[in-house]
Amino acid sequence: LHLDLYFVKYDLKGLINTLFKNSGKSVDIWGTYSLKGSKIEIYYIPLILFCQINSLPLEHAVLSTLVHEMAHAYHHIGKDKDNVIWHNMSSTDLEIVEGMAEYFTWLFVETYKEQYPAMKTTYDTMFNCLGPQYTIFKKWVPEYSKETIKSALLSTRKKSITRYEDFEKLLSDVKMIMH
């Protein structure tokens, strides 16, 4: 109750815009995956604050963040069938790196949204705070199948594609081959 009154007194919408929506457009506000050391960090304080402000269950915010960061870890050091990891992930455009991690997070949420509707609500609220490098995958979803996107990710790793423009062309090429 005290926190709710505080947020009313000190402009809740302004606080949300300053702390989450504007900040989230360019920085990791929920957690991070470190390429050096392959380490995941979850930022609990911003997640707790965000969930309190939006009356959301913390466990779903933490889970969504963990899935996103685990996707980075898997994409980075998860070996493909040829035992190769994504060596040049650090020099790859964020639209590819963050777009792919958020795409797989979205797939996870979509898979379990019927069983856990609050997770979907939490994810959607968090998603609205993300910048374009995270949300760009929404352009892929109506255009490309899951197999096309997965194959494009594998080819991006294999062919050392680092520019988003080249990735877009790859998506289109893979779609033509697969359909």
Side-chain angles (χ1 to χ4, degrees):
L1 178 64
H2 177 69
L3 195 54
D4 291 336
L5 293 173
Y6 179 84
F7 289 141
V8 168
K9 182 178 177 182
Y10 293 103
D11 183 21
L12 174 62
K13 289 194 186 295
L15 182 61
I16 290 171
N17 283 331
T18 300
L19 290 178
F20 302 109
K21 290 187 179 177
N22 294 333
S23 297
K25 301 294 183 195
S26 60
V27 298
D28 297 324
I29 57 174
W30 314 119
T32 190
Y33 170 73
S34 172
L35 295 172
K36 187 178 181 177
S38 304
K39 182 175 140 189
I40 291 174
E41 291 183 48
I42 304 295
Y43 304 145
Y44 290 102
I45 300 300
L47 286 167
I48 291 167
L49 186 57
F50 184 81
C51 289
Q52 179 67 37
I53 290 169
N54 291 288
S55 300
L56 297 168
L58 178 61
E59 62 270 19
H60 296 306
V62 171
L63 181 59
S64 294
T65 303
L66 184 58
V67 169
H68 178 93
E69 301 309 336
M70 288 295 295
H72 282 313
Y74 180 77
H75 295 161
H76 179 228
I77 56 174
K79 295 180 180 176
D80 63 18
K81 300 257 189 234
D82 296 318
N83 211 26
V84 176
I85 67 168
W86 193 358
H87 290 288
N88 68 335
M89 185 177 176
S90 64
S91 61
T92 302
D93 287 349
L94 289 178
E95 290 83 359
I96 301 171
V97 174
E98 296 299 347
M100 276 294 178
E102 197 58 33
Y103 168 73
F104 284 102
T105 306
W106 173 78
L107 280 178
F108 177 85
V109 171
E110 287 296 302
T111 300
Y112 294 102
K113 69 182 180 185
E114 300 300 321
Q115 291 169 277
Y116 304 99
M119 181 174 63
K120 172 78 167 128
T121 302
T122 302
Y123 174 80
D124 289 344
T125 305
M126 294 173 74
F127 186 83
N128 288 330
C129 296
L130 299 177
Q133 68 271 32
Y134 296 88
T135 61
I136 197 160
F137 78 88
K138 287 290 192 165
K139 289 180 11 182
W140 314 335
V141 173
E143 178 84 19
Y144 304 106
S145 70
K146 292 174 186 174
E147 282 298 324
T148 298
I149 295 170
K150 179 183 169 190
S151 295
L153 171 61
L154 293 173
S155 294
T156 296
R157 290 174 54 160
K158 268 288 196 228
K159 297 178 178 282
S160 298
I161 291 173
T162 58
R163 294 179 11 168
Y164 185 71
E165 297 79 27
D166 298 331
F167 176 76
E168 285 182 306
K169 173 144 180 23
L170 178 62
L171 275 170
S172 181
D173 291 348
V174 171
K175 180 182 178 181
M176 284 181 32
I177 291 168
M178 295 184 81
H179 293 95

